Amino acid sequence: MGMMDWITAHLRPQPKAAPAEEVSQRNAAAFAEEFWSDLVGGGPTSAGVHVNWQTALETPTSLRCGLLIADGVSTVPCKLMRKDPVTGNRAEAVDHPLYDLMQFKPCSWMNTQQFRETLMLHAAFQGGGFAFINRVGRGRIHEMFSFEAGEVSVEKRSDPYDRSPLYRVNGEEVPNDRILHIRGPSWDGRNGLNMVKLAREVIGLADAAQDAHAKRFGNGVQTTGVYSVTDDLDDAKHKRLTNWIKAHYAGGKNSGKPLVLGNGGKFVPMGMTGADAEHLATRLYQDMLICRQWGVLPIMVGIADKTATYASSEQMFLAHNVHTVRPWHRRVGTTLTCDLLTPEERRQGLYFKFFDTELLRGAAKDRADFYAKMFGVAGLTANQILGMEDMDGFKGGDAHYVPSNYARVRDDGSLEAASKPDEGGAAPPPPGPSPRQNAGRVLSGENERLIRGASNNLNTVLDKLDGQQED
């Protein structure tokens, strides 16, 4: 059975008759405000703005935060690796079918960068990204493709002893091994925290401030103040006038509209100007709160402090990669390893790994110093260093080298000669007397040779002088 046949047979909603009472309850729920708020993942705010994932995408700061997280996961190489259980050596599992699937194209119409980017955008804004795993034959993964936002729901099972999540696609239950679920931080273990829903008040106030500021410039007139009339107002007239002003001139949507006066009415402005109200400071503060909600440093979305220097900015970029991007790498990598690989494959040493070293490396000078020190203690080979710089290696570049004057001090104070670069073990000590010690300092073999040579030359000169005196 092909992918489309399975989807047609299992995911297409089937018409079924329902009791009249059940239909009535569904209709009542459909018109309830809570139903639509939960459906779109948002809700009304104190600022009077309705916030959901769509309006969050229209807010520049929240959109930039989501894109930063998505880009940090989608643009970093994620490879299927194999660790040898005996030697511990690691290598890319290029012979595994999943390697090509995750490295290039998980399906015919999406490459791996687009696939991971879509899943991460859904995870950043709705708490989880979902993809369908199309398994064929004996469970072999043939392809994967992402679902649209809102197509998949995660529910709690009715069986109290079954704590696994229940996945539904357009209302139809789908087996768990057919769903790839990239979830963010979770409270119940099934759904990731919906960041838009949690941050709706912050986003709502930011949108309201932006809307009010825009209308202030669009209408060009500020009308907040005291409205007075010459005639006496009884309760009915006062209530009518108050309701009329609220309906036509109050609120952010009516900000800046000109006020039409009549019957001797007067308007005395009492509000502050846009500069006095510090609209820009309010909007800047809301943008920083949005960054805080997603765990993104403000400098990453273009909010820079005047006191920031080049050195401090570099450390901020590094902190973003460590504290914001790397946790998502671990979440996604662990999910791919657990959901796409069988237990037997994991026992064989297969796992998914993000190669985020290039995000964490510093400037060229700092990298050069690090490479030189690691190469000097045989921590890295020349080819490993070239690989970290995305450069090709060379033949013979996989050997480890140590300085020739490095030697281990034995318990008796003698030196053990260092091994040659092409030898696996330590070379036997050279013949002759062991190197001398002086005040706890060990002389190297080269210094020992020079001292012995100078001593021999001195003995030769003294012998010649003795011979001349005898003559």
Side-chain angles (χ1 to χ4, degrees), residues 209-229:
Q210 178 179 337
D211 187 61
H213 211 169
K215 284 182 168 54
R216 183 182 300 274
F217 282 97
N219 295 323
V221 179
Q222 181 178 339
T223 58
T224 303
V226 177
Y227 184 85
S228 62
V229 295

Side-chain angles (χ1 to χ4, degrees), residues 128-290:
F130 302 91
F132 179 76
I133 305 175
N134 184 23
R135 298 181 183 271
V136 297
R138 297 183 177 180
R140 183 178 63 87
I141 300 177
H142 176 66
E143 63 179 353
M144 295 181 293
F145 57 87
S146 60
F147 287 105
E148 294 184 9
E151 282 189 310
V152 182
S153 62
V154 186
E155 303 174 4
K156 182 180 180 180
R157 295 184 183 272
S158 58
D159 185 358
Y161 298 99
D162 189 356
R163 309 299 295 179
S164 62
L166 173 63
Y167 294 103
R168 295 187 184 275
V169 178
N170 296 326
E172 285 291 320
E173 182 178 351
V174 179
N176 288 17
D177 63 347
R178 298 297 183 106
I179 296 294
L180 175 64
H181 184 188
I182 305 296
R183 67 170 63 89
S186 176
W187 182 261
D188 57 11
R190 294 183 301 272
N191 292 282
L193 296 177
N194 192 320
M195 291 300 175
V196 173
K197 192 173 184 178
L198 295 176
R200 63 180 182 272
E201 291 292 343
V202 176
I203 300 175
L205 184 54
D207 291 344
Q210 178 179 337
D211 187 61
H213 211 169
K215 284 182 168 54
R216 183 182 300 274
F217 282 97
N219 295 323
V221 179
Q222 181 178 339
T223 58
T224 303
V226 177
Y227 184 85
S228 62
V229 295
T230 56
D231 298 336
D232 294 335
L233 294 176
D234 55 19
D235 292 342
K237 291 182 179 180
H238 187 276
K239 184 177 181 180
R240 178 184 177 186
L241 179 60
T242 301
N243 292 335
W244 182 80
I245 293 177
K246 288 182 177 180
H248 294 84
Y249 297 102
K253 63 180 181 180
N254 296 320
S255 176
K257 292 176 64 175
L259 182 63
V260 180
L261 305 177
N263 296 329
K266 296 181 180 180
F267 178 78
V268 180
M270 300 295 292
M272 295 180 294
T273 63
D276 294 334
E278 296 184 350
H279 277 278
L280 292 178
T282 301
R283 295 180 61 184
L284 178 62
Y285 180 68
Q286 292 305 120
D287 289 340
M288 295 182 67
L289 290 181
I290 293 176

Side-chain angles (χ1 to χ4, degrees), residues 414-433:
S414 61
L415 287 180
E416 180 180 279
S419 60
K420 296 181 180 180
D422 56 347
E423 293 179 353

Side-chain angles (χ1 to χ4, degrees), residues 61 64-65 68 287-288 291-292 294-303 312-321 323-324:
T61 306
R64 187 66 252 170
C65 289
L68 282 169
D287 289 340
M288 295 182 67
C291 292
R292 185 181 300 172
W294 266 273
V296 175
L297 292 176
I299 194 174
M300 300 302 299
V301 299
I303 303 176
S312 62
S313 298
E314 184 181 21
Q315 292 303 312
M316 291 179 187
F317 297 149
L318 181 62
H320 168 77
N321 294 326
H323 300 293
T324 302

